[in-house]
Amino acid sequence: MEKPMDFIYLPLAQHPIARMILLLRSTVDPLQLVKPLKDVVRTLNPNLPLLQTRTYEDLYRYNTVEGPGVAIELVGTMGTLGLLLAIAGLYGLVAYNVSRRTREIGIRIAIGAGPSDVLRLVMGQGLLLVGLGTAIGLAMGFAVEQLLNSMLFNLGGVDIVVYVVLVPSLFVVTMLAAYVPARRASRIAPTQALRYE
């Protein structure tokens, strides 16, 4: 049970507040009270603005549904942007690695490596990157989720469904990002690769 707290009332002239809230209880439609309320406020102080007049139902809906919904959409958008940046970064890293190893890949093809061998070599490197990133991401995700559960929501447990859906889909997406440079590397002509500087 909460202990009673001491408080005092201060006159507004001695302790001005930039923003005040006025709540009215009504048995009729609350929006019908807006105009009479504005008239009363204007008679008391014509310079006092009356902003954001809304029903308590609208305020409650915004604070419980729409406000958190905006936050969820924002987090989802940031997650999507992060995924796109991760795909672009992985693609750039694998493509740069392939371009650095063009001579080596050309020599491998010249001495008998087939396109599937080169594809397997480059995809293996992409798989290694994805595997390391997944392991580190899972460890950090579990740790951060436990920390947030203990600090904010106290929900306990780990949301396994999110990991079961998200991790394989991220894995597939990043492997597709590694596939494009690997496919390009498997089509390198040995004569072109050997002349590559």
Side-chain angles (χ1 to χ4, degrees):
M1 182 166 184
E2 188 177 342
K3 294 181 180 178
M5 296 174 59
D6 296 331
F7 63 92
I8 58 171
Y9 290 103
L10 297 171
L12 190 61
Q14 292 179 356
H15 187 71
I17 299 172
R19 182 177 176 211
M20 296 178 65
I21 297 173
L22 176 64
L23 296 174
L24 296 177
R25 176 180 277 180
S26 167
T27 56
V28 297
D29 181 17
L31 295 176
Q32 292 178 354
L33 297 176
V34 173
K35 186 172 180 343
L37 179 64
K38 285 184 178 182
D39 293 339
V40 169
V41 170
R42 279 195 196 99
T43 58
L44 294 173
N45 186 349
N47 296 324
L48 192 64
L50 190 63
L51 305 172
Q52 293 186 358
T53 53
R54 53 186 164 172
T55 64
Y56 192 76
E57 181 182 349
D58 292 341
L59 180 67
Y60 180 78
R61 184 173 48 248
Y62 176 78
N63 287 335
T64 57
V65 179
E66 295 171 7
V70 170
I72 289 169
E73 288 178 10
L74 182 63
V75 169
T77 303
M78 290 172 60
T80 304
L81 183 61
L83 175 63
L84 292 175
L85 288 173
I87 292 169
L90 182 66
Y91 173 81
L93 185 65
V94 174
Y96 174 70
N97 193 24
V98 168
S99 70
R100 280 187 47 222
R101 299 178 66 187
T102 301
R103 277 184 82 102
E104 174 197 341
I105 292 170
I107 292 170
R108 285 178 186 266
I109 292 173
I111 60 173
S116 62
D117 298 324
V118 174
L119 190 66
R120 191 170 34 253
L121 172 75
V122 177
M123 287 292 287
Q125 292 171 346
L127 187 63
L128 178 67
L129 289 173
V130 170
L132 285 172
T134 301
I136 293 169
L138 279 174
M140 290 178 67
F142 282 130
V144 168
E145 186 173 9
Q146 290 298 324
L147 178 68
L148 289 177
N149 282 342
S150 67
M151 289 175 53
L152 299 175
F153 308 108
N154 198 16
L155 297 175
V158 173
D159 193 359
I160 297 297
V161 175
V162 172
Y163 291 103
V164 168
V165 171
L166 194 62
V167 171
S169 59
L170 283 174
F171 192 80
V172 168
V173 166
T174 49
M175 287 309 295
L176 286 174
Y179 176 76
V180 175
R183 182 90 173 151
R184 192 176 325 131
S186 69
R187 294 181 175 176
I188 292 175
T191 53
Q192 176 192 352
L194 294 174
R195 287 197 302 262
Y196 184 78
E197 291 293 327

